[in-house]
Amino acid sequence: MDMKKRINLELRNRTPADVDVKEPMALLKEEQVKELVLDNCRSNDGKIEGLSAAFESLEFLSMINVMLTSVSNLPKLNKLRKLELSDNRISGGLEVLAERTPSLTHLNLSGNKIKDINTLEPLKKLLNLRSLDLFNCEVTNLNDYRDSMFKLLPQLTYLDGYDQDDQEAPDSDVEGDGDCLDDDDEEDDDEENEDAEEEEEEDDEEGEFDVLDEEDEDELDGEDDDDDDEDSAEEDDDEDEEAEDGEEESKETAQGQKRKRTPEDDGEEDTEDDE
């Protein structure tokens, strides 16, 4: 598939200018085309085709293994930060990158036909360039290659994935994924996190209410038990009082039964004897 057809395919057969901005789901409108991957397609005559000023919002462009020999047809891409050009046949003409991609931070030229350091001198104008990859280029076989490159491009932090102290770059710096993350995506992630936190808080509140309800039920059960205990105590008191009344009546009855003779009775008996 040639490069023009691949671009149309990536845009779903529409160019950024053709997209109706009134369409609510038009995610491919001009200002939203920020990433474009054209890997393994075919470039005619080794030049870039199909890209125009309509893609000025691009931040990430990948053209790996498309048989490029020149980047002379690259349009002005002021916002481009990462450019993948590995496994092509580029041997020079890098001044175009300095002129048309002023915001570039990551450039991958590995596997191209770059043979000497002077070919890379135009990259000095890329003041924001942090990472440059020249792996499998002939230039990497030169004596003092790394020292010469860091001296030529002092703005570089990483060369072929390592800094001047031979410390490997973190994956985010090598790939540049963090730099190319859309602000909208970051906002969506924040919103999702906020929603998740709100749901957790709601669940916690519901859990608290459940605990409170259980505690209230326990308290009510405790009060009912206390009331039952009081009623039982009152019944016991009533039974005790009835028992005491019964005992008193029994005592009185017993006393009545024992009192059969009175002093008067004794007197009457004595009188009868005297007679």
Side-chain angles (χ1 to χ4, degrees):
M1 181 182 296
D2 63 32
M3 188 173 290
K4 284 184 179 181
K5 289 182 180 180
R6 177 62 178 274
I7 291 174
N8 288 332
L9 179 63
E10 292 292 328
L11 295 178
R12 300 176 187 175
N13 294 320
R14 294 184 293 179
T15 62
D18 292 334
V19 177
D20 184 3
V21 294
K22 296 180 181 179
E23 191 176 331
M25 298 302 292
L27 300 178
L28 293 173
K29 60 185 178 179
E30 183 173 346
E31 64 270 24
Q32 291 182 338
V33 181
K34 296 183 178 181
E35 297 187 7
L36 190 60
V37 178
L38 305 175
D39 299 348
N40 302 312
C41 66
R42 185 177 69 255
S43 62
N44 292 326
D45 297 327
K47 295 182 180 180
I48 298 171
E49 295 180 308
L51 288 179
S52 65
F55 294 90
E56 62 180 5
S57 295
L58 277 180
E59 295 180 9
F60 172 75
L61 176 60
S62 182
M63 295 183 288
I64 298 173
N65 189 30
V66 296
M67 296 183 289
L68 284 180
T69 59
S70 171
V71 292
S72 59
N73 289 350
L74 187 70
K76 185 77 170 179
L77 301 173
N78 288 324
K79 296 183 180 180
L80 192 68
R81 288 183 285 178
K82 181 179 179 182
L83 180 59
E84 290 279 351
L85 294 173
S86 60
D87 298 327
N88 284 292
R89 302 171 183 174
I90 299 169
S91 59
L94 300 183
E95 59 275 0
V96 174
L97 299 181
E99 295 170 0
R100 301 178 188 177
T101 59
S103 300
L104 204 63
T105 60
H106 293 73
L107 176 60
N108 191 341
L109 291 169
S110 61
N112 279 278
K113 304 297 182 180
I114 299 172
K115 298 180 179 181
D116 57 73
I117 290 178
N118 292 334
T119 304
L120 300 164
E121 189 169 356
L123 301 182
K124 292 169 63 175
K125 295 181 180 180
L126 292 173
L127 301 180
N128 297 310
L129 190 63
R130 293 175 52 203
S131 177
L132 175 63
D133 196 337
L134 297 169
F135 183 71
N136 275 344
C137 292
E138 291 186 35
V139 68
T140 60
N141 297 323
L142 298 176
N143 293 330
D144 299 326
Y145 154 71
R146 289 184 60 80
D147 292 338
S148 299
M149 286 302 303
F150 278 115
K151 185 176 180 180
L152 176 68
L153 305 174
Q155 73 271 35
L156 277 186
T157 303
Y158 300 104
L159 177 63
D160 304 330
Y162 292 85
D163 63 13
Q164 294 189 64
D165 298 325
D166 290 330
Q167 297 296 317
E168 189 173 5
D171 291 339
S172 58
D173 287 324
V174 173
E175 297 298 332
D177 293 336
D179 293 334
C180 293
L181 182 64
D182 294 345
D183 294 336
D184 294 337
D185 294 339
E186 292 179 352
E187 292 176 359
D188 291 341
D189 291 340
D190 293 338
E191 290 177 359
E192 290 178 359
N193 292 332
E194 290 176 359
D195 293 339
E197 290 177 358
E198 290 177 359
E199 290 178 359
E200 289 179 359
E201 291 177 358
E202 290 176 359
D203 292 339
D204 292 339
E205 290 177 358
E206 291 177 359
E208 290 177 359
F209 290 144
D210 293 339
V211 172
L212 291 175
D213 291 340
E214 292 176 358
E215 291 178 353
D216 294 339
E217 290 177 359
D218 293 339
E219 290 179 358
L220 292 174
D221 293 339
E223 291 177 359
D224 293 338
D225 293 339
D226 293 340
D227 293 338
D228 294 338
D229 293 339
E230 291 177 359
D231 293 338
S232 300
E234 290 178 358
E235 291 178 359
D236 293 338
D237 292 340
D238 293 338
E239 292 177 359
D240 293 340
E241 289 177 0
E242 291 177 359
E244 290 176 358
D245 293 338
E247 290 177 359
E248 291 177 358
E249 290 178 0
S250 299
K251 289 178 181 179
E252 290 177 357
T253 302
Q255 289 176 357
Q257 292 176 351
K258 289 179 180 179
R259 189 178 177 183
K260 293 180 180 179
R261 295 176 63 87
T262 62
E264 294 178 355
D265 295 336
D266 295 336
E268 290 177 359
E269 291 178 359
D270 293 339
T271 305
E272 291 175 359
D273 293 335
D274 292 337
E275 291 177 359

